[in-house]
Amino acid sequence: MDPVTMVGLDIGATKMLGVAATPDGDVLAEVLATTPVGGEEVVAAAASVVAELRRRTGEALDGTVGVGIPGLVDAGRGALKHAVNLGVDAEWFPIGDLLAARVGAKVAVDNDVNAAALGVAKITGHDDLVYLSLGTGLAAASILDGRLRRGVRGAAGEIGHIPVDPAGRKCQCGQVGCLETAASGSAIAEAWPVTGTPPAQAVFDAAADGDLRAVAVRDEFAARVADAVRVVALTVDPETVVLGGGVAQVGDRLRVAVAHALAEQAADSPFLRSLDLPGRLELVPLDVPVAALGAALLAEEPR
Amino acid sequence: MDPVTMVGLDIGATKMLGVAATPDGDVLAEVLATTPVGGEEVVAAAASVVAELRRRTGEALDGTVGVGIPGLVDAGRGALKHAVNLGVDAEWFPIGDLLAARVGAKVAVDNDVNAAALGVAKITGHDDLVYLSLGTGLAAASILDGRLRRGVRGAAGEIGHIPVDPAGRKCQCGQVGCLETAASGSAIAEAWPVTGTPPAQAVFDAAADGDLRAVAVRDEFAARVADAVRVVALTVDPETVVLGGGVAQVGDRLRVAVAHALAEQAADSPFLRSLDLPGRLELVPLDVPVAALGAALLAEEPR
């Protein structure tokens, strides 16, 4: 029985993944479950995952359970808002307290992007990075000088809602031309409707096969992701920018496409070139459950 | 003789201001001098200012002399690049070492915007803020959780070169539609050419007198500054955003105009409204030499 074994849960819209891991980030056990609908139901399912991790590791796992979850999180209170799949919207839902009561351990909660950034920092050894989550939407998380930057209202990293084109598309947030309207999985899905295959995969595959329309969709997407990279580089100037989220499943060709777009944008700007943004890009490690591991690391983060 | 008296120099394009101050930020002596042209000449003039501060205070002032100066600064090496008025461009100029040899004290160097942000934090008591310097150009400096964020290449805060309008104006950095092309003193000067009065002053005065063209110029400028506020709010989410730089000399009506623009931008976005950006805005204190005081505080900053 090892009292320092960490426990983390990555609770997504459709699935939740629990891990037990060593302090070095080596995964000892993984448990995958379906995410039910409804706050109480999610808490019950999460508690079952923790119970299963206890069974598989044979350990008490009575330290802190970390939870990464989409939505607006008040990390100090362990409360959640605006999480559609939980049926949680305008009211704060005390997921931390409810889960703590179920599992008999402390619970630390943060949003999934912050959790993933912590996991990436641990796995890659970088202590100064911005993690870009390219999923349905676009969000970022920053680890600056080794510290997670949440912001005073938990809004740090909401870069998806920075408008960069007055002639752009209306965003669901009410603004126009937000980064997210072009640099997200949803934007790809809209430009390249497919069934069966994830749209990003389909576009990158078709582009590799020489479909010029797919090349155009891919390159436009990559250029808008490059815009997002530029925003974070010129604001906090991190050592590394890590591309992650569902779209990153297309593999290193995502990094290549965005690096290419960054180089294009710098072609006429000695200033931008001097910052070497392409050289700072990395793809999230795809063989490690970074979000669940990062959730486990929430136990050590000040809240 | 008080060994903890701080010394700071704010070296601008045309003038330099030196201050001796208590650790609490109370100014004991101020010395204003003309900034000469040429690196060696600036060092000599700065040394004379320190000598005059020693004479006026009757103190040895042999701790660290802090220097805030426009240009790209390598704070670790005390070296300066891209400072036109110093005749310093592509080569690093070791201003720190040269001044240290002249004055017989350690010297800490940083760019003027970072220095000003430290001064603002000291004077206002805020330990989490972004300082927006609205001068000839646009730049920001961030104090996050009490720590100055320089970035890995000293590029944190270069938000003036974030493009926000593909149909915008060409920027001197080589990109198109950068924030700085619309949210800076230069942008006002171009839209409202005057002699004698600072253009920002002239525009705000004329707008207050009911000149509709001036109202349009003022409101467009304020909206673009609001864009800059939104960029930093959605990236690092600071407690306070402080408006400073030469344009801030127009007084609190600058804050009012930008707050109004932020409220307009949030009119259709419950998400933006929830962040209360107008409520986080402050005007830099105009009765205190924040940049020189902040330069003095560089002595305490890790480099």
Side-chain angles (χ1 to χ4, degrees), chain A residues 26-122:
Chain A
D26 292 326
V27 175
L28 303 171
E30 289 191 37
V31 173
L32 189 65
T34 299
T35 302
V37 175
E40 299 286 347
E41 290 79 359
V42 168
V43 169
S48 298
V49 168
V50 173
E52 179 64 16
L53 286 169
R54 284 172 169 156
R55 201 185 61 75
R56 294 215 201 152
T57 58
E59 296 188 28
L61 304 181
D62 51 5
T64 299
V65 172
V67 174
I69 191 160
L72 180 62
V73 175
D74 180 334
R77 293 161 50 202
L80 180 72
K81 237 188 193 180
H82 302 311
V84 177
N85 62 308
L86 296 186
V88 168
D89 195 13
E91 297 277 306
W92 287 104
F93 179 69
I95 186 171
D97 287 348
L98 293 173
L99 183 57
R102 285 263 195 172
V103 300
K106 284 184 212 155
V107 171
V109 186
D110 209 326
N111 81 57
D112 54 341
V113 184
N114 285 347
L118 288 173
V120 168
K122 184 72 169 188

Side-chain angles (χ1 to χ4, degrees), chain A residues 5-6 8 17-31 53 56-57 123 287-294 296:
Chain A
T5 296
M6 309 188 301
L17 177 69
V19 300
T22 68
D24 289 338
D26 292 326
V27 175
L28 303 171
E30 289 191 37
V31 173
L53 286 169
R56 294 215 201 152
T57 58
I123 295 299
D287 54 349
V288 182
V290 290
L293 263 182

Side-chain angles (χ1 to χ4, degrees), chain B residues 143-291:
Chain B
I143 312 277
L144 306 177
D145 294 322
R147 297 203 302 193
L148 176 63
R149 171 70 192 179
R150 291 193 177 93
V152 295
R153 299 198 182 209
E158 286 287 358
I159 65 165
H161 299 293
I162 295 177
V164 293
D165 185 1
R169 279 188 289 176
K170 181 93 178 171
C171 180
Q172 58 172 2
C173 81
Q175 301 182 91
V176 171
C178 291
L179 275 171
E180 178 170 299
T181 63
S184 63
S186 304
I188 296 179
E190 195 171 313
W192 200 262
V194 283
T195 49
T197 317
Q201 185 83 37
V203 165
F204 276 77
D205 286 350
D209 287 345
D211 180 327
L212 292 182
R213 208 162 57 82
V215 169
V217 170
R218 179 196 66 189
D219 291 354
E220 165 66 13
F221 168 76
R224 301 294 75 81
V225 175
D227 288 349
V229 173
R230 191 167 45 181
V231 164
V232 300
L234 296 177
T235 307
V236 297
D237 191 19
E239 190 166 18
T240 310
V241 177
V242 178
L243 304 177
V247 175
Q249 292 298 324
V250 303
D252 197 54
R253 51 195 179 162
L254 170 65
R255 182 192 60 77
V256 171
V258 176
H260 182 75
L262 285 165
E264 290 264 311
Q265 290 175 351
D268 293 330
S269 177
F271 166 70
L272 265 193
R273 275 203 304 282
S274 75
L275 300 178
D276 185 26
L277 302 187
R280 302 195 210 179
L281 272 192
E282 290 188 11
L283 189 76
V284 67
L286 295 177
D287 54 347
V288 183
V290 288

